Amino acid sequence: MKKYVLCAIALAVQSTAIQAHSGHTHQHISNEQVNWQAHNAYKKGQRVLFEGALYRANWWTQGDLPSQNKSGAWQLLQFVNDNTAVTPPWLGTQIYTKGDTVAYKGELFQARWWSQNDKPGASQVWEKMPHDKQNDPISLQSLISSQIELTEQQADSPAGEGLSNAFDGDPRTKYVTLKPQGWIQISLPQAKQISQYQFTSANDAPGRDPHNWTLLGSNDNENWITLDNRNSELFTKRFEQKTFQIQTDQAFKHYRFELIHKGTDNWGYDLLQIAEIDLFGETQLPIAHISSDTDTVFIDTPITFKDASLNTPNSFEWQFEQGTPITSLAQNPQVVFKTPGIKEVKLATYNWHGKSETTSHTVKVVDPQNPWQGFSYPEIKFAHEDTESEGYKRIHRLFPDLEKTINDVTLQVNQFLYKHYGESPEFDSVTFSLKWMDTLAYRAGSGRNMEIAFSTKYITESLANASDEEVVYELLGVFWHELVHGYQHFPTGAMQDGGEVHAIIEGIADLVRIRAGFHATRKPTPARNWLGGYTNTGFFLSWIQDNYDSDFTYKINQMVLTSQREGWEWTLREALKRILNQDIDALWQKYQATLGAAPEAPPVPENQLSLVTLGGEASTTQPPVDPIYAVENAFDGDRFTKYLTIHPHTEISFSGYGAGQLKGYRLTAGDNQPSRDPSSWTLSASPDGTQWQVVDTQSNQVFNRRLETREFDLSLDTAYRYFKFSFTNSGPQDNGQDVFQIADIDLLIDKASATLPDELENFALAGGIISAEHAGFSQWGEGFESAFDGNLSNKYVALTDSGWLQFIAPDQYVLRAYSITSGNDAPERDPATWQLHGSNDGIHWHTLDTRSENSFEGRNQTKLFRIDNQTPYSHYRFDLTHTATDANGNNLLQLAEIELFRAL
């Protein structure tokens, strides 16, 4: 049976929620003011509202559009919602009298006498008002625009990590070159003087960060002048932005950074990378910016756009795509959009120094009667790596129009997550690829570009005997799950299995998949808690929707966004409290009852002890189907983990660190498939691991509920340390496959007769001499010293598949046990095989323990190994071999800690 990872996440994108209808505050307008109507006649002094502005009639008028004011009858009084104390703009249609002041193209003018249609600066009517420009504000403006030209020395970037990523304004993308150093050049449309620049570190691998660099300037691309030198610069965290000042009075057209990386990365590669580079120059010109209280609005609902420009502009030119009005000269205009869709808003501003560059902003306009009109489909791209396998050929035969399929699912996913298109995020593209890989599928990408990959190996091998209908159903389910990842809200926090972030990201993806009806190939089983993600969390959330709130899918996704806006740490417990006013523990217990989970076993009687909790070592004659189902799970006291093997018969042995007279034992069935339960078995016991005696035999046993614990009483007078179960399952499954599983085994001994294991002390913490065959990555705190420092949060990592670690104690100790703790990531780097040797002179070594095919089921997992040793030694050496080549194709050996124990 092959293992396929269900889903991987590389990155999440948030959307913007809509502002409610009542979210705007309007300036008070008297009852005399009415909306202008073409067929109405208006008397002198009557006020009307038209396209976000208030007008007063100078005399009787009818049919004269106030904004055009061909007859001169209308006088602009003010823009609605614009209370800012700026000089009003000049309007050719308005009448001005002596002393009136207007703003025009960044300058202020005062009327000498009565005027209409006389343009300031071109008529003697208007007198330019004086202004001292020396005291005007100065701001920094980015010199990076679509008009720059980028060049580089190496031009060897991996796909999707090219040079343009360093200048796209998105730190989630990055530039990578496959060399430890290289230059990057920015050529501007015309020479500009810079005063500072910024670097932003990328998302991973601190060794790839720029460490030393030189900034050069040139106007002919041949003769270069050094502007800045930096050495030993460090980025202390990922996505860190650092700013560097420049002292120069010269303007240059070309700027070049000569960069050198910090060092070899965690995988042994010499790469250089950076997320963002920006250049800034000083300017007194206005820098246009637009703000608004929302980026989404309903049709016929006023929205106010606000000028957020720098350098104190006094004149404003707005354009509103299909808006009413279409243009405005107000500083903070109010607009109404009457048709749905994504509308572009543009703003150019003026001050005494000139005109800004035009900036743009988009707003989503929603029709409540047709909430998905205006939805923007991303461009579908294909980048298949496998085009030869049977899986590839089958997918293309079953999905002749993949683009349409992806678009159909994309829209439906959004309709589950949101009320209208205005709430959903936008993507420019979705790149879909078919790959020959063990991972079933993953969603990746950055910014507005999404990537989805699917395994042709899975189709070829695991679904080889599935019908076409089953393959279509499975692939559609994957599309649903992965596209939800593209459009759902992501909480902040670490993405790790068993954590809150992982649970809700995968849980919502499966929730939508379940609600869409693509869940028939999987079903929920009892579990410890709701943090498993995927089916575990997804079916729980779906059960809540069925029983508590029919709008729950929308609300739980929105609550993720709410947690970010309000600044509270995301937990599903807090979310359900806010949405349902329900306690998650009570909900979980009710849900578990619907899955047939049995209650937990009663506590161990006071006159007995659990031999298992005293510690010991487990083994089996049949390997688990996957390391996550290792035999150690049967002795961890956790009924939600299990040992699983594809064999109907298996032998499970337990060697206790303690011993005692056996008074009974407990067996706990697994979470699913009753046919896998133990049905018949014999239990043998031994005091020394050599002489065995059958102490119990059972047949035709039945576990009536999932996770049920059954106890079998015994009364033995001999103290035993070693136990062996020979199990047979309850029969083949519905598909004919014979599988055995068991969730937990416990051995109960008489407390009075118990022999307890030695108490242990880690003598390595007293200090000693540490050495290694391979030093490891000391520059990142991952050298060999980390293996014996008592700190589980760091680790030893070496670029090798095998090697030794040695500890020399100041005195001789009798080693009775040792432990090894796995690293925080990359299980393939864990030690799998090792030998432990002892010596008193460093020359003559004695083998104390040998382990092979060992596995660590979790990250930072500590495993204790007791040994039968009575000889004191001062030198201890571990010869270690890693598990396998890691996901990046590297042979790395790592562990977090080794502890050496003597008996107290």
Side-chain angles (χ1 to χ4, degrees), residues 246-312:
I246 298 296
Q247 300 296 326
T248 180
D249 56 1
Q250 291 182 269
F252 296 99
K253 180 178 175 64
H254 309 285
Y255 290 92
R256 177 180 289 184
F257 290 96
E258 296 179 345
L259 304 160
I260 301 175
H261 78 357
K262 182 176 180 292
T264 305
D265 66 18
N266 293 3
W267 301 277
Y269 293 132
D270 282 328
L271 304 180
L272 172 68
Q273 72 178 21
I274 190 166
E276 281 297 308
I277 298 175
D278 208 346
L279 306 177
F280 295 92
E282 294 182 347
T283 183
Q284 289 186 298
L285 288 171
I287 303 173
H289 291 294
I290 301 171
S291 71
S292 60
D293 292 335
T294 178
D295 291 328
T296 307
V297 66
F298 288 120
I299 59 172
D300 298 323
T301 301
I303 177 173
T304 298
F305 293 99
K306 298 176 183 178
D307 163 62
S309 304
L310 302 178
N311 289 348
T312 320

Side-chain angles (χ1 to χ4, degrees), residues 360-380:
S360 63
H361 180 83
T362 59
V363 59
K364 293 181 177 180
V365 182
V366 179
D367 180 357
Q369 303 303 315
N370 192 2
W372 294 97
Q373 183 178 347
F375 179 77
S376 177
Y377 290 96
E379 179 187 1
I380 306 299

